[in-house]
Amino acid sequence: MTSPISRRDLLRSGAAGGLGIAIVGSIEAIAGPAVAQTAQAGLGAAGYGPVVADPAGLLALPRGFSYKIVAQAGKTLLESGEPTPSDADGTGFFQGHGGLSVLVNNHEIGGGEPYSVPALPGLTYDPGAHGGTTNIEVDRRGNRVREYVSVAGTHNNCAGGITPWDTWLTCEETEQRAGGAFQKDHGYVFEVDPFDRDANLNPVPLKFLGRFSHEAVAVDPHTSTIYETEDANGPHGLYFRWTPPRHFRGRKGELKALALGQNGATAGTLEAMSCFKGTKHIADLSEATQPGTRYRVQWVAVPDRDAATVSVRKQFTDDQVTRARKLEGAWWGDGGAYFVSSYARTSDGSVNEHDGQVWFYDPKSETITLKTIFGVNPDPTQDTNYDGPDNITVSPYGGVILAEDGEGLSHLVGVTKRGQVYPLARNELNDSEFTGPTFSADGRILFANIQTPGYVFAITGPWGRLDNDGHHDH
């Protein structure tokens, strides 16, 4: 998810500053610079072993793993005859019937990409915008059966999230207002039905979820509460909670109906996160440098969630909320919401520097805990160095999978429950980011994308469960 001022730009301008270690951390231990080399070697042994170069020059995977191309921008065709759109991003998997399932695939298109989401009648929110979503029907082996437009005319569809009622929430990472080519305001969340094409007609922005640079969402299956990340700076972005109104039951079509109802733009409660260590307010998540750091959470109501005159994040002072430079991926799992902060630099106003944090919000204790932190990457050209985690998904085999969007080599990176980090895939084609990791319902296939030039992959192999030390259980 590339924002206007990307981490790559910061590094190339020399803003990274001093060297740190490439990977640090677990909830049990943290490796310091003096033991970085040893830690790297140890961590590299976790997971499924080293990735092996791909003769086709696309995707390096551990021995025994393989991939197939599900869709390719400009090459495969939509059901309506146009080419698959560019910039595949956040992706959700939905189990179907009769051996067929559906991937809902975001397209982070801002307007300059070669292949837009076709503005089909009835499915288009704003003809001036070129992003949206496609639904890819796949069989049990991950083979693409067909692909079609599900939402068009949205802008910069970044990530999103799966709902407990089997729909996809696609997020616009923008604050674009109507004007010029754009006929409507943008910066909203839209709901996409993976199976019912008629349900996606006449797209409705879920204004009650706020208008800001949305990145991703995670939905509590017990309460239908929606947690949202914001990828923004000047000032840094916020972490939000939307609490549904009392009568909300969490069913298909209910969000859209809520948005279209009386006072739909302000339905439920939208709040921003504010963290504390004891009585000390935490102004920025980069203050945390040790895995296991835990903060108490309070929530502050958003004054104007549609940002009529002032961006939502600018409606708060720094002593009211907790910010982070680059809030990215989100995923519900293990009874709470995981979310990612991709990096921080003192040059952008952060307190400390890092190349990635993975946080876990526990709604029962109203706390967030730093699960893993990546130190500033001293050499992004090295295959065992990782930085800039972005999209996240919880693995059925333990731990999480992160899509890397950093400098230099790009990987899918696994993090075990013990905090050990291991490579799962390496982009052999270019330095484009990975996006949209998501497992099939049976755990046999990991779907993931290379955003540019635009590939959707189905990855299979001898997964097995990772043991307590992070090693592959044969």
Side-chain angles (χ1 to χ4, degrees):
M1 289 55 158
T2 304
S3 57
I5 303 176
S6 71
R7 179 182 175 279
R8 298 175 193 272
D9 295 332
L10 283 170
L11 285 175
R12 287 171 180 151
S13 66
L19 295 180
I21 68 171
I23 304 171
V24 294
S26 72
I27 199 162
E28 285 81 16
I30 184 166
V35 295
Q37 212 166 21
T38 304
Q40 284 288 90
L43 290 172
Y48 303 98
V51 296
V52 179
D54 176 16
L58 278 179
L59 204 60
L61 297 168
R63 193 171 303 279
F65 283 76
S66 62
Y67 69 87
K68 62 182 65 177
I69 297 171
V70 179
Q72 183 178 353
K75 302 293 183 182
T76 50
L77 295 178
L78 301 173
E79 193 172 76
S80 51
E82 297 90 352
T84 293
S86 300
D87 287 17
D89 211 293
T91 304
F93 177 90
F94 298 88
Q95 181 71 50
H97 302 287
L100 296 177
S101 297
V102 173
L103 298 172
V104 182
N105 195 213
N106 277 7
H107 298 278
E108 191 182 18
I109 296 173
E113 294 78 3
Y115 305 103
S116 299
V117 178
L120 300 184
L123 294 172
T124 304
Y125 170 66
D126 178 356
H130 300 281
T133 60
T134 53
N135 287 10
I136 307 174
E137 198 171 90
V138 295
D139 64 18
R140 288 190 179 95
R141 296 184 178 180
N143 297 304
R144 175 180 179 271
V145 176
R146 61 175 180 149
E147 181 182 10
Y148 53 91
V149 175
S150 43
V151 168
T154 50
H155 188 46
N156 247 40
N157 295 67
C158 207
I162 293 170
T163 70
W165 47 93
D166 279 339
T167 61
W168 173 254
L169 297 179
T170 181
C171 295
E172 294 186 305
E173 187 191 348
T174 182
E175 293 179 69
Q176 177 68 51
R177 288 196 176 278
F182 297 96
Q183 299 179 19
K184 297 181 179 180
D185 288 345
H186 292 270
Y188 297 114
V189 177
F190 294 79
E191 188 171 30
V192 184
D193 194 298
F195 303 108
D196 184 355
R197 299 179 75 172
D198 289 343
N200 298 322
L201 293 172
N202 304 312
V204 174
L206 306 179
K207 293 186 176 182
F208 49 77
L209 293 179
R211 193 181 72 81
F212 52 85
S213 289
H214 288 90
E215 179 70 33
V217 303
V219 186
D220 185 332
H222 303 293
T223 65
S224 300
T225 302
I226 299 176
Y227 299 91
E228 311 175 80
T229 57
E230 179 186 31
D231 182 1
N233 68 311
H236 295 167
L238 302 174
Y239 188 63
F240 295 94
R241 177 181 75 174
W242 179 75
T243 305
R246 288 185 180 180
H247 58 80
F248 191 85
R249 294 293 177 264
R251 301 187 181 103
K252 280 192 175 186
E254 197 172 359
L255 289 175
K256 187 174 182 178
L258 192 62
L260 291 172
Q262 188 176 9
N263 301 318
T266 56
T269 304
L270 185 66
E271 300 164 298
M273 181 179 71
S274 185
C275 296
F276 295 82
K277 185 71 172 177
T279 58
K280 179 183 181 290
H281 178 254
I282 305 300
D284 195 284
L285 289 180
S286 68
E287 291 189 32
T289 60
Q290 298 288 331
T293 298
R294 181 170 296 177
Y295 295 142
R296 178 172 53 86
V297 171
Q298 294 182 3
W299 297 95
V300 185
V302 173
D304 172 21
R305 65 182 85 181
D306 203 45
T309 57
V310 179
S311 295
V312 171
R313 69 185 181 282
K314 296 179 181 178
Q315 296 171 26
F316 299 96
T317 56
D318 290 346
D319 61 347
Q320 292 179 299
V321 291
T322 300
R323 305 184 187 274
R325 169 63 183 87
K326 197 164 176 62
L327 289 171
E328 296 274 7
W331 202 270
W332 185 271
D334 302 324
Y338 288 93
F339 65 98
V340 175
S341 175
S342 273
Y343 67 87
R345 295 291 183 268
T346 55
S347 61
D348 63 37
S350 300
V351 178
N352 297 302
E353 300 194 340
H354 64 73
D355 265 347
Q357 294 175 328
V358 178
W359 290 89
F360 180 77
Y361 168 72
D362 182 348
K364 292 182 179 178
S365 63
E366 284 291 357
T367 60
I368 61 168
T369 301
L370 181 60
K371 291 292 188 179
T372 301
I373 184 169
F374 292 68
V376 175
N377 190 340
D379 187 358
T381 65
Q382 293 298 308
D383 197 35
T384 53
N385 292 356
Y386 313 113
D387 54 58
D390 197 314
N391 280 173
I392 185 173
T393 190
V394 174
S395 170
Y397 304 101
V400 299
I401 306 296
L402 300 167
E404 191 181 13
D405 178 18
E407 180 72 2
L409 295 173
S410 188
H411 301 83
L412 288 174
V413 181
V415 184
T416 71
K417 288 186 176 181
R418 294 287 297 273
Q420 290 179 289
V421 182
Y422 61 91
L424 187 55
R426 182 181 66 234
N427 178 354
E428 300 267 80
L429 182 65
N430 54 30
D431 66 353
S432 176
E433 65 180 291
F434 277 101
T435 61
T438 185
F439 278 91
S440 59
D442 61 9
R444 293 179 55 250
I445 304 174
L446 173 65
F447 295 94
N449 319 314
I450 290 178
Q451 186 172 81
T452 305
Y455 286 92
V456 180
F457 297 106
I459 300 169
T460 55
W463 293 108
R465 182 161 294 276
L466 298 176
D467 65 25
N468 288 333
D469 295 318
H471 301 293
H472 182 204
D473 184 12
H474 296 284

